[in-house]
Amino acid sequence: MFENQVKNVWVVFFVMALAFSAGSVALAVQIDLSVDDCIKCHSEEPEQIATNGGAHKTEINCQECHQGHRPISQNNIPACSDCHSGSAHYEVAEPCIGCHNPHQPLKISIVGDQKQVCISCHAAPEQQMADNPSPHATFACTFCHAETHGNIPECLSCHEPHSASMTQANCSTCHQAHMPLVVTYPDSTASELCAACHDSAFATLAASKAKHSQLACADCHAGKHKSIPACTDCHDFPHPKAMHERFPNCADCHNIAHDLNK
Ligand code: HEC
Ligand code: HEC
Ligand code: HEC
Ligand code: HEC
Ligand code: HEC
Ligand code: HEC
Ligand code: HEC
Ligand code: HEC
Ligand code: HEC
Ligand code: HEC
Ligand code: HEC
Ligand code: HEC
């Protein structure tokens, strides 16, 4: 009995509140609000849902999230976890609405230093950085991937190239962003790229009349920076056995690989 009275008072309050805020619209409003009513008093949210609502437009509606309305329902704001559970991303400590506006859930604004949230979906880059320490591994992901999701910066926005002719496209020949100190490169790497730092080796080889000058640096120093091949990797032991036993070092007669002394 008493409960009913209280409820009736709230109904009156609510209709008054609606009337106050919506004027003549209130006449048509029932206490049972329908989804079509929301737009009569709220413009921003329906607008956002209409243009960028994504699954929050197609899969659900206002009232599946906002059950009831003030003043009868004091709290009609849902928790994301009411509907999203069962993945590492839905367990992150950061507040969901820091990145997601529920009315345009995929228009994500990324602010502040973020790492844990990113790792909730991208475990591999973090693992790569942990396994291969570098200054990059000490930064938040958003130090580089800032503002919008998926944004990829150029190395050259923070670093100088090794030579004037080197471009952004060259960087990935030798470096991977998440393990930049592990320098590896394909056999097809142009010798000019090595020459940025090894100009004298490049000049010596280029000036040599021996056939090695036809080879690229990466043909011999293959795969990994600072690898040094053995002559026998390619030539085996071409001379009589007795001679190799007497002079075990090819260099005794052939000088250096970059300038064979015949
Ligand atoms: C007749 C006008 C009117 C209609 C229709 C209306 N609202 Fe509201 N709504 C308001 C007013 C006024 C407030 C602010 C109330 C307050 O601050 O106590 C409000 C507040 C809210 C809030 C914030 C509640 C909070 O706790 O901060 C939500 C969510 C909301 N409305 C959702 C809806 C939805 C969903 C619909 C449609 C089903 C809807 N409203 C229909 C007038 C209306
Ligand atoms: C996926 C669930 C979801 C859907 C669908 C949804 N909302 Fe919301 N809405 C929320 C959440 C969560 C908040 C609280 C956001 C915050 O605290 O910043 C909110 C906040 C609001 C507010 C209060 C805004 C303020 O600044 O206080 C209004 C009004 C509102 N929603 C109206 C609507 C209307 C109208 C619709 C349908 C067109 C709708 N919402 C659809 C989840 C939803
Ligand atoms: C009433 C249930 C409900 C609530 C509450 C809810 N969601 Fe959703 N959300 C869904 C459904 C259903 C989908 C579509 C299926 C899916 O992706 O799980 C969805 C999809 C999404 C998507 C993907 C959108 C797309 O277009 O692919 C994001 C992002 C999202 N929700 C974030 C949130 C956040 C953040 C909150 C809390 C502010 C929230 N949701 C609250 C039901 C809900
Ligand atoms: C630091 C920003 C950030 C925070 C905080 C955040 N998210 Fe996300 N969320 C994202 C990004 C980025 C995506 C990926 C969107 C894409 O695939 O384009 C995403 C995608 C989603 C999706 C849809 C895709 C999927 O894989 O399910 C849902 C649902 C979602 N988030 C819910 C949540 C919930 C719930 C919380 C809070 C527990 C939350 N998010 C916190 C950034 C964030
Ligand atoms: C909910 C899961 C989710 C979260 C959280 C998330 N991502 Fe993603 N991310 C994805 C998916 C899925 C893709 C691939 C789809 C695409 O290209 O949009 C992607 C793509 C990317 C890409 C590559 C884009 C490209 O062009 O190859 C980068 C970079 C990226 N995310 C960085 C981040 C960073 C940094 C964070 C943390 C702020 C983050 N992501 C949070 C799911 C997520
Ligand atoms: C120092 C800058 C930097 C930092 C820090 C960084 N990234 Fe990246 N990331 C890049 C660049 C540059 C690329 C483009 C690919 C490349 O050049 O190797 C990339 C590529 C990606 C991609 C798409 C390609 C791939 O490898 O899957 C994802 C996803 C990604 N980063 C996520 C992350 C996450 C998650 C973190 C934090 C744990 C992070 N990144 C930290 C610079 C960075
Ligand atoms: C947002 C800025 C930023 C971007 C983008 C970035 N770096 Fe860095 N990088 C740094 C900073 C800061 C350091 C640490 C200070 C330093 O050594 O310059 C660093 C360190 C390095 C180091 C190690 C230097 C050392 O002596 O330990 C290498 C190698 C490197 N970066 C290569 C790259 C490559 C290659 C890319 C592109 C794939 C890249 N960086 C993208 C900011 C960036
Ligand atoms: C041909 C291979 C190669 C290419 C291409 C290359 N690098 Fe490097 N880079 C290296 C090597 C090798 C080192 C390590 C030198 C050492 O051990 O001191 C290095 C070191 C670095 C460093 C650490 C500081 C320094 O200058 O020694 C940065 C930063 C860097 N590279 C950025 C870049 C950027 C940016 C690009 C693209 C413009 C690029 N690299 C292209 C091979 C390359
Ligand atoms: C950013 C500059 C840089 C680039 C680019 C670079 N190197 Fe180096 N390289 C160095 C430095 C620095 C050393 C160490 C020199 C020392 O220890 O005296 C080195 C050493 C070497 C060594 C000798 C290792 C040893 O044990 O003596 C070889 C071989 C080598 N580099 C080959 C290459 C090749 C091949 C390329 C091209 C794919 C290349 N480098 C690109 C900077 C670079
Ligand atoms: C990556 C493979 C490779 C390595 C390592 C290598 N070479 Fe060669 N070398 C070649 C090729 C290819 C030729 C050209 C063969 C031809 O055209 O007949 C060649 C030619 C030669 C020739 C003949 C030169 C000429 O101009 O006719 C000599 C001598 C020689 N190599 C000695 C050496 C010595 C000594 C070493 C070690 C310091 C060495 N090579 C390391 C691949 C290699
Ligand atoms: C035919 C194979 C071969 C080619 C091609 C080659 N190298 Fe070498 N390089 C070697 C060998 C073998 C050594 C070890 C010392 C020696 O025998 O000459 C060496 C030594 C080096 C060293 C360390 C000693 C020094 O001279 O500083 C560097 C740096 C180097 N090479 C860089 C380069 C660069 C840069 C190129 C391309 C311009 C290149 N190499 C082309 C086989 C080669
Ligand atoms: C005692 C001196 C000596 C030693 C040690 C030596 N060579 Fe030679 N090598 C020669 C001479 C002399 C020639 C013939 C030069 C010419 O024809 O111009 C030659 C020729 C070659 C040729 C070219 C063969 C051809 O058919 O054109 C190769 C390849 C070669 N040596 C590789 C090696 C390798 C690899 C080693 C070490 C395992 C080595 N040599 C050790 C003296 C030596």
Side-chain angles (χ1 to χ4, degrees):
M1 182 65 179
F2 176 72
E3 272 188 339
N4 270 343
Q5 278 176 0
V6 171
K7 198 178 168 197
N8 283 337
V9 169
W10 279 117
V11 169
V12 171
F13 258 67
F14 184 64
V15 173
M16 284 170 66
L18 296 183
F20 180 72
S21 55
S24 62
V25 174
L27 294 174
V29 173
Q30 305 287 311
I31 195 62
D32 295 323
L33 283 173
S34 87
V35 175
D36 299 330
D37 295 323
C38 315
I39 198 166
K40 294 171 183 164
C41 303
H42 300 288
S43 55
E44 190 183 355
E45 295 81 8
E47 158 86 40
Q48 290 177 331
I49 294 247
T51 44
N52 290 301
H56 283 178
K57 174 187 173 186
T58 55
E59 306 290 314
I60 49 176
N61 64 38
C62 313
Q63 287 182 303
E64 282 170 77
C65 282
H66 299 295
Q67 293 175 5
H69 198 286
R70 282 170 184 266
I72 291 176
S73 303
Q74 285 298 318
N75 182 6
N76 65 353
I77 302 292
C80 308
S81 58
D82 294 349
C83 304
H84 295 288
S85 61
S87 116
H89 182 60
Y90 310 147
E91 310 293 326
V92 298
E94 272 78 2
C96 314
I97 57 170
C99 294
H100 299 282
N101 174 339
H103 308 122
Q104 37 188 6
L106 287 182
K107 276 197 90 189
I108 294 164
S109 57
I110 293 171
V111 292
D113 290 348
Q114 300 291 348
K115 192 165 198 171
Q116 289 315 119
V117 176
C118 313
I119 296 170
S120 71
C121 294
H122 300 290
E126 162 65 3
Q127 191 57 46
Q128 223 174 28
M129 296 207 277
D131 293 344
N132 302 281
S134 77
H136 285 184
T138 65
F139 305 148
C141 312
T142 46
F143 179 74
C144 292
H145 303 291
E147 289 166 23
T148 53
H149 178 230
N151 183 19
I152 291 187
E154 297 203 331
C155 314
L156 293 180
S157 63
C158 300
H159 296 291
E160 293 294 318
H162 299 305
S163 73
S165 60
M166 213 181 252
T167 65
Q168 171 63 35
N170 296 138
C171 307
S172 62
T173 305
C174 299
H175 295 285
Q176 289 171 263
H178 303 139
M179 39 194 278
L181 292 176
V182 177
V183 179
T184 57
Y185 46 82
D187 292 351
S188 59
T189 302
S191 297
E192 285 74 12
L193 295 175
C194 311
C197 301
H198 297 291
D199 51 351
S200 68
F202 181 83
T204 305
L205 185 64
S208 168
K209 291 187 170 56
K211 287 179 177 160
H212 279 180
S213 64
Q214 305 305 309
L215 302 178
C217 315
D219 286 330
C220 290
H221 302 287
K224 200 170 183 305
H225 188 229
K226 296 192 182 179
S227 67
I228 303 259
C231 310
T232 51
D233 290 352
C234 299
H235 295 295
D236 207 346
F237 293 95
H239 304 303
K241 202 170 172 230
M243 196 193 97
H244 286 299
E245 277 166 6
R246 180 129 180 255
F247 303 98
N249 296 321
C250 315
D252 291 344
C253 301
H254 289 293
N255 194 17
I256 60 167
H258 302 164
D259 188 19
L260 294 171
N261 169 12
K262 295 209 251 176

